[in-house]
Amino acid sequence: MTSKGVRIAVNTGGGDAPGLNAVIEAVTKAAYKRNWEVFGVKNSYAGLLNTDELVRLTPEFVSHISNVGGTILGTTNRGNPFKMPVHNVVGDVEIRDVSDKILENFKRLRFDCLVAIGGDGSLEIAYNLYKKGMPVIGVPKTIDNDLRSTIITFGFDTAVSIATEAIDRLHSTAKSHERVMVVEVMGRHAGWIALNSGISGAADVILIPEIPFHIDRICDHIMACELHGQHYAIVVVAEGAVPAGGRIIHKGVGETGRQDVVLGGIADFLAKEIAKQTGKDTRSIVLGHLQRGGAPTTFDRLVALRFGAAAVRMIEEKQFGAMVALVPPEVKAVPLAEVIGLIKNVPIDCDSVKTAREIGISFGD
Ligand code: F6P
């Protein structure tokens, strides 16, 4: 690879997160500054299988998209090229490894590097492609903030801000009706969104996957609030929270081609139990994809722009098979091998958990 004539492919994979467009903008602008070219791959890895829809990205094309939610390239959490559902000749769905085709197209199009913007699933695919010879740079995104080796992923701050605003709003209606409101937030198997929004939004109870909960202790806490003259309560529950000795609540396995289960339903389950045990009027709310929609916060936008520019710097330095990571005050390269396979959970003795306990929030433990 000579520095002149470098051709970068960029894709966005997995669930969208506010800030994806900011990375695309920064990658494109930083590459053009070096007289390089950038091409957008549509719909995660699908655009490297069917290459008809490659988008030539120019500084004009991406001008000020950093404040726009979603991704201009489209995304999916179903297109793993190593386990692709394909219809065989008799019309049945078969799982096949089509990664060779991806590599073949990548070479045919004379790309020098793939900038893969994604969460654990998409980055694992990127790493596997790297092991097969594709030069890749990973950029960590996810509202869940569950990726290791970076203190934060972009999208998380926006999700926490949206959840906090929702919790703030629920206080007044909960108070007016003297109700318990159970708010389910995203985060998969990590409790970061619930913890941060719950503390910021002055929840009474926060339930996270890292701390299994007991329903009777949640109810005891709600009744203690009652005794102190607070006739309403806010319970923030992470979608992946689990009752002690119980199981995660989910909506079943994902759609065809998706590896993970679709989480959800814990708020409804809890609301029923809390109403039964406390006799209080109780409602459940699922914030769902609202947490991923709309413009990124300034913080996320800035992190995403820094990640995009750092990714191009890493291409220049030929640091392939690595991911950009925020390790304050720097954005650094960390090996993808260190990141994938394991998630970053909330340490149960971290400062935020201590803070929550010290200001009177219960974890139901
Ligand atoms: O990983 C991001 C995330 O929003 C999770 O918090 C959530 O469980 C999942 O994606 C939802 O996936 P989908 O968009 O496929 O419903």
Side-chain angles (χ1 to χ4, degrees):
M1 184 175 91
T2 59
S3 176
K4 222 171 160 67
V6 171
R7 284 162 67 88
I8 301 174
V10 56
N11 73 349
T12 52
D16 68 343
L20 286 168
N21 287 327
V23 182
I24 296 168
E25 180 173 335
V27 167
T28 307
K29 288 181 173 171
Y32 270 75
K33 199 97 189 127
R34 292 162 166 88
N35 289 322
W36 298 354
E37 287 178 289
V38 184
F39 294 83
V41 176
K42 297 295 282 285
N43 301 324
S44 189
Y45 291 90
L48 276 175
L49 276 177
N50 173 3
T51 53
D52 294 349
E53 281 192 86
L54 277 180
V55 192
R56 178 182 279 274
L57 299 174
T58 61
E60 296 71 38
F61 192 85
V62 300
S63 174
H64 203 34
I65 56 168
S66 61
N67 63 337
V68 180
T71 161
I72 60 163
L73 298 176
T75 189
T76 171
N77 31 26
R78 284 192 256 171
N80 183 346
F82 291 89
K83 290 178 187 162
M84 185 68 85
V86 202
H87 285 280
N88 64 18
V89 278
V90 289
D92 294 334
V93 175
E94 260 179 27
I95 303 296
R96 286 201 202 135
D97 179 351
V98 295
S99 57
D100 284 342
K101 186 74 196 161
I102 299 245
L103 266 118
E104 193 186 306
N105 285 338
F106 183 85
K107 283 185 192 144
R108 180 176 55 79
L109 292 161
R110 293 181 292 106
F111 286 135
D112 298 292
C113 176
L114 171 70
V115 175
I117 315 170
D120 54 348
S122 314
L123 292 180
E124 186 170 347
I125 297 168
Y127 181 57
N128 288 333
L129 289 170
Y130 167 71
K131 286 196 285 188
K132 287 187 83 158
M134 185 187 287
V136 302
I137 304 282
V139 178
K141 76 79 229 193
T142 166
I143 65 161
D144 305 335
N145 194 34
D146 61 354
L147 283 175
R148 288 156 65 101
S149 305
T150 181
I151 67 141
I152 217 139
T153 52
F154 67 85
F156 172 63
D157 186 62
T158 309
V160 170
S161 303
I162 293 167
T164 303
E165 196 200 327
I167 298 163
D168 281 345
R169 287 175 184 277
L170 289 171
H171 275 272
S172 61
T173 174
K175 192 172 184 179
S176 308
H177 288 263
E178 299 195 344
R179 278 177 173 155
V180 178
M181 302 296 262
V182 185
V183 194
E184 181 175 312
V185 297
M186 283 184 167
R188 295 202 59 75
H189 305 290
W192 297 104
I193 298 177
L195 180 65
N196 286 22
S197 64
I199 296 174
S200 310
D204 300 290
V205 179
I206 298 174
L207 305 174
I208 58 175
E210 293 82 356
I211 305 179
F213 64 82
H214 298 262
I215 294 183
D216 49 352
R217 294 189 195 150
I218 300 170
C219 295
D220 287 350
H221 190 78
I222 292 169
M223 293 322 282
C225 293
E226 194 78 23
L227 273 178
H228 286 96
Q230 181 193 314
H231 302 293
Y232 75 98
I234 306 284
V235 178
V236 176
V237 58
E239 61 183 358
V242 269
R247 287 205 197 139
I248 206 155
I249 295 188
H250 62 79
K251 296 177 178 162
V253 286
E255 304 89 352
T256 313
R258 192 177 165 149
Q259 316 297 316
D260 52 350
V261 292
V262 179
L263 298 176
I266 183 84
D268 198 36
F269 162 79
L270 272 172
K272 288 190 180 109
E273 289 299 318
I274 292 170
K276 213 181 340 170
Q277 288 197 31
T278 64
K280 291 213 48 93
D281 204 11
T282 304
R283 294 287 186 274
S284 64
I285 286 174
V286 180
L287 294 188
H289 295 82
L290 276 176
Q291 293 159 97
R292 284 188 356 210
T297 57
T298 307
F299 180 87
D300 276 341
R301 209 184 294 185
L302 187 57
V303 170
L305 288 165
R306 290 177 69 193
F307 279 179
V312 175
R313 233 176 285 139
M314 280 162 64
I315 298 173
E316 197 162 51
E317 291 158 6
K318 299 188 175 57
Q319 297 202 53
F320 301 118
M323 180 188 88
V324 301
L326 183 60
V327 184
E330 296 301 319
V331 173
K332 314 211 288 199
V334 296
L336 269 171
E338 252 180 35
V339 180
I340 55 162
L342 284 169
I343 67 163
K344 178 181 72 188
N345 278 110
V346 172
I348 57 171
D349 57 352
C350 70
D351 174 72
S352 295
V353 171
K354 283 183 189 150
T355 302
R357 293 194 193 277
E358 279 162 7
I359 62 175
I361 298 172
S362 164
F363 286 91
D365 57 339

